[in-house]
Amino acid sequence: MKTTTFEEYQTAYQKSVDDPEVFWAGIAGHFQWRRPWEKVLDWNFTEPKVEWFKGAKLNITENALDRHLAERGDQPAIIWEPNEPDDAAVTITYSQLHRRVCQFANVMKKLGVKKGDRVCIYLPMVPELAIAVLACARIGAIHSVVFGGFSARSIADRINDAGCTLVITSDGAFRGQKVIPMKETVDDALERCSTVKNVIVMTRTRTPVSMLKGRDHWWEEEVKYVDADCPAEEMDAEDVLFILYTSGSTGKPKGVVHTCGGYMVYATYTFANVFQYEPGEVHFCTADIGWITGHSYIVYGPLCYGATSLMFEGIPTYPDAGRFWEIIEKHKVNILYTAPTAIRSLMSFGLEYVKDHDLSSLTKLGSVGEPINEEAWNWYKHNIGHDKTPLVDTWWQTETGGMMITAIAGVTPEKPTYATLPLPGVQPVLVDEAGQEIKGNGVSGNLCIRFPWPGMLRTTWGDHERCRQTYFSTYPGMYFTGDGCLRDEDGMYRITGRVDDVINVSGHRIGTAEVENAINMHLGVVESAVVGYPHDIKGQGIYAYIITENKPDDPDMMRKDIAATVTRVIGPIARPDKVQFVTGLPKTRSGKIMRRILRKVAEGETSNLGDTSTLLDPAVVEEIKEGAL
Ligand code: WTA
């Protein structure tokens, strides 16, 4: 599956464009299928309809677990590093993982969960999270993992949208010094949900929790009464594997749908190829499984390839800013895959946290989730990679299922701040506002993809029209990414950031409309407008302009109260960093907020606001400029 020289990459790329079906059938041949496909690809981007390997039968867990048992049953599949550095790390071999997944799959079966049922998973970064995910896949249940930083309300919205019948959670979570309630949050969520019949609770923190008779079950208790034999459900390549909710520019988060066959092929191929994974290497992806990066590069990609995947429960700064480096030394990590926000944060603590650790095991470095600035790129390459370890900047999205534009470690060229070249199978296009393709090099535009790849989303759960509208209607015949992009003189791609109303805070995608809706629910708030602004550590911060009924007596207290409301409605990750109280917002005569002006003010660029003559009341701009934070 790997292309190990630049020439091989070029040949593979050309083949993937000239003859995509032959190319992908070749890659798919590396997997275990119970029955082969009838057709490699069937597609159109108008409905849209995308089907890969249709008619093929498989179960992804047979690829992630069963097929490794003979050869590497005793090899670690998961190494788990707990929050507390002094607590023992846990190693789970492929045979142990197989056993635990089958066992837990039987627990779900016993509770009546069947193929096609939706299961919400709300767990901290413990092995049981990976086990729950795989157990769903084992029986054909569709998992919807919700990141632990989301509120009860956000969980409820996701449960209701997908109609989940089972929730899997824990009593609490350890994150650095904090103990965070999980079951209690689920209980609050379930007050709004009518589809959930059962809740399974795993013990982590021993936080007292309420357990309702007939609905709630202890994980540890249930696994005692089932055996570890659970034949895998036979799935069609195009059956749904999971739903993962993500933010867009409008409305509530949408459930991105990935299917079994194409996603498996794509996540695994990109993992193996981009990181040039060698047998026995330890791969440490620092993402949370609640995000797509964790789905594809902690669970499915590495395990389907028979790799060893390290899962870390805690945070990079606990007990101090040396934790990542300590983990790398302790577990002899070979591949580190992390986000620019983590790098910038650790950079700010200085090199003393790095210097005493032996990082010589590292063979490959990766970055993901947001644009990486040059300073962070260089720091990472120099101080962590000692200038000899390849560093790949991987651009992709929840919707793409796996990496799209990235260097291949040690194989294709690197360039700081550039995602560089498309992987085989990926056909990027830059388009202008009028939808015309911008050809040639040394140009920038909106990034689209013109041909399907196996890992792409198939629909948005329960609302196919929304999928069409969001991704396939802006530029007919193409998938629109929502990102701006530059292609330099050498044909290398650099992602410049979102061109829609999505902001990327610490690598987390947040829709400005969602934050505004939450703020508007606060007592005394009349209207609000939220934009992103450059933030040294987080990449982008959240800047909120808020109109209140009355001038706040204690603006600081009101800011805190509003933050509390946002935390309650969405979760702590969406809390505004800056709140400016205003008496009006810059609106056009047709009532549209001119966000361009608000963005400029938030960026501190008040001297050149461009044309403001179409504004209903140009005076508000002066007030906003004066009060800028
Ligand atoms: C941004 C995360 C620049 C981009 C895998 C994209 C990046 C959004 C990069 C998707 C990168 C991700 N360079 N920007 N290497 N990787 N992005 O869905 O704006 O959480 O559209 O998927 O993150 O975020 P998501």
Side-chain angles (χ1 to χ4, degrees), residues 44 54 63 80 82 99 117 180 338 366 422 487 492 526 557:
N44 71 70
K54 181 90 177 154
N63 285 272
W80 177 69
R99 195 185 147 75
D117 289 351
I180 298 160
T338 192
R487 184 165 55 218
M492 299 262 232
V526 177
M557 198 60 218

Side-chain angles (χ1 to χ4, degrees), residues 244-247 291-293 297 337 340 367-372 392-400 402-403 405-406 417-419 479 481-484 494-500 502-504 507-509:
L244 187 57
Y245 286 85
T246 191
S247 295
W291 308 108
I292 191 71
T293 307
Y297 301 113
Y337 190 30
S367 172
V368 60
E370 38 168 335
I372 181 165
V392 295
D393 176 10
T394 65
W395 172 83
W396 59 293
Q397 312 177 295
T398 304
E399 295 86 344
T400 70
M403 302 183 261
I405 303 183
T406 172
T417 76
Y418 280 71
Y479 166 81
T481 64
D483 280 311
R494 177 187 187 177
I495 310 301
T496 47
R498 301 287 302 196
V499 293
D500 54 9
V502 171
I503 50 185
N504 198 323
H508 301 156
R509 248 169 94 165

Side-chain angles (χ1 to χ4, degrees), residues 583-610:
T583 59
L585 291 166
K587 287 191 181 168
T588 61
R589 286 189 186 89
S590 58
K592 216 170 161 255
I593 297 174
M594 281 182 88
R595 289 174 180 277
R596 175 176 56 83
I597 294 177
L598 297 177
R599 273 189 218 112
K600 287 238 160 155
V601 173
E603 285 163 13
E605 276 185 43
T606 47
S607 54
N608 174 25
L609 293 181

Side-chain angles (χ1 to χ4, degrees), residues 526-542:
V526 177
E527 200 184 352
S528 63
V530 166
V531 296
Y533 72 97
H535 187 287
D536 285 348
I537 305 283
K538 299 180 180 182
Q540 278 188 302
I542 301 177

Side-chain angles (χ1 to χ4, degrees), residues 339-349 370-373 376 379 506-507 535-540:
T341 187
I343 298 165
R344 286 189 297 262
S345 154
L346 298 177
M347 251 169 87
S348 71
F349 288 90
E370 38 168 335
I372 181 165
N373 51 306
W379 188 89
S506 301
H535 187 287
D536 285 348
I537 305 283
K538 299 180 180 182
Q540 278 188 302

Side-chain angles (χ1 to χ4, degrees), residues 6 9-10 413-415 418 420-422 440-443 486-494:
F6 188 57
Y9 159 75
Q10 285 174 312
E414 292 171 4
K415 182 168 176 175
Y418 280 71
T420 71
L421 299 173
N441 287 341
V443 293
L486 176 154
R487 184 165 55 218
D488 76 0
E489 294 301 338
D490 303 318
M492 299 262 232
Y493 290 83
R494 177 187 187 177

Side-chain angles (χ1 to χ4, degrees), residues 2-288:
K2 294 191 273 186
T3 44
T4 55
T5 64
F6 188 57
E7 290 68 37
E8 265 177 47
Y9 159 75
Q10 285 174 312
T11 311
Y13 190 82
Q14 202 52 47
K15 184 173 163 193
S16 79
V17 174
D18 295 343
D19 216 341
E21 296 195 25
V22 172
F23 175 79
W24 285 113
I27 303 291
H30 293 272
F31 294 83
Q32 189 176 307
W33 305 86
R34 288 197 190 173
R35 206 172 82 194
W37 47 87
E38 283 143 23
K39 200 164 175 356
V40 177
L41 171 65
D42 194 4
W43 72 288
N44 71 70
F45 277 177
T46 35
E47 293 176 54
K49 174 173 115 173
V50 176
E51 290 176 345
W52 283 93
F53 314 114
K54 181 90 177 154
K57 304 291 176 198
L58 78 156
N59 186 289
I60 195 168
T61 67
E62 288 184 337
N63 285 272
L65 302 168
D66 304 60
R67 72 164 167 161
H68 304 311
L69 296 181
E71 229 180 276
R72 48 174 77 91
D74 296 332
Q75 179 200 301
I78 293 177
I79 298 175
W80 177 69
E81 170 72 17
N83 184 59
E84 288 298 332
D86 296 334
D87 288 353
V90 173
T91 297
I92 305 176
T93 65
Y94 271 97
S95 7
Q96 290 165 337
L97 186 61
H98 177 262
R99 195 185 147 75
R100 293 192 63 185
V101 167
C102 288
Q103 212 171 30
F104 192 67
N106 280 334
V107 169
M108 286 196 285
K109 266 189 174 168
K110 212 174 125 196
L111 291 174
V113 181
K114 298 180 307 297
K115 177 176 175 178
D117 289 351
R118 278 79 61 206
V119 174
C120 173
I121 305 178
Y122 186 72
L123 279 171
M125 280 288 285
V126 289
E128 285 76 2
L129 171 49
I131 290 167
V133 162
L134 292 165
C136 286
R138 187 82 179 170
I139 61 172
I142 299 168
H143 56 77
S144 164
V145 184
V146 177
F147 173 62
F150 281 114
S151 68
R153 228 188 149 94
S154 297
I155 301 170
D157 286 346
R158 286 156 172 77
I159 288 176
N160 291 333
D161 187 74
C164 298
T165 52
L166 170 70
V167 181
I168 305 169
T169 189
S170 64
D171 47 0
F174 293 122
R175 262 182 81 74
Q177 267 161 333
K178 293 193 201 137
V179 182
I180 298 160
M182 301 288 277
K183 171 65 161 65
E184 194 187 318
T185 307
V186 167
D187 285 338
D188 289 345
L190 292 187
E191 306 254 322
R192 298 163 170 269
C193 305
S194 58
T195 52
V196 174
K197 299 194 193 98
N198 293 289
V199 179
I200 301 177
V201 186
M202 178 246 160
T203 309
R204 177 64 190 123
T205 54
R206 300 212 158 268
T207 308
V209 291
S210 134
M211 293 292 284
L212 282 192
K213 199 185 294 168
R215 185 193 74 179
D216 298 348
H217 317 266
W218 290 111
W219 176 302
E220 298 76 11
E221 204 47 37
E222 295 302 313
V223 291
K224 283 186 197 159
Y225 308 110
V226 289
D227 62 35
D229 177 30
C230 179
E233 186 75 30
E234 185 163 284
M235 306 294 282
D236 190 274
E238 282 299 336
D239 281 340
V240 175
L241 175 63
F242 66 84
I243 308 171
L244 187 57
Y245 286 85
T246 191
S247 295
S249 33
T250 53
K252 284 191 173 168
K254 41 189 177 294
V256 167
V257 171
H258 285 287
T259 55
C260 297
Y263 174 81
M264 168 181 79
V265 169
Y266 199 71
T268 312
Y269 166 69
T270 50
F271 168 75
N273 200 24
V274 171
F275 292 122
Q276 295 284 299
Y277 183 85
E278 292 293 333
E281 284 191 323
V282 177
H283 170 73
F284 177 19
C285 168
T286 70
D288 190 290

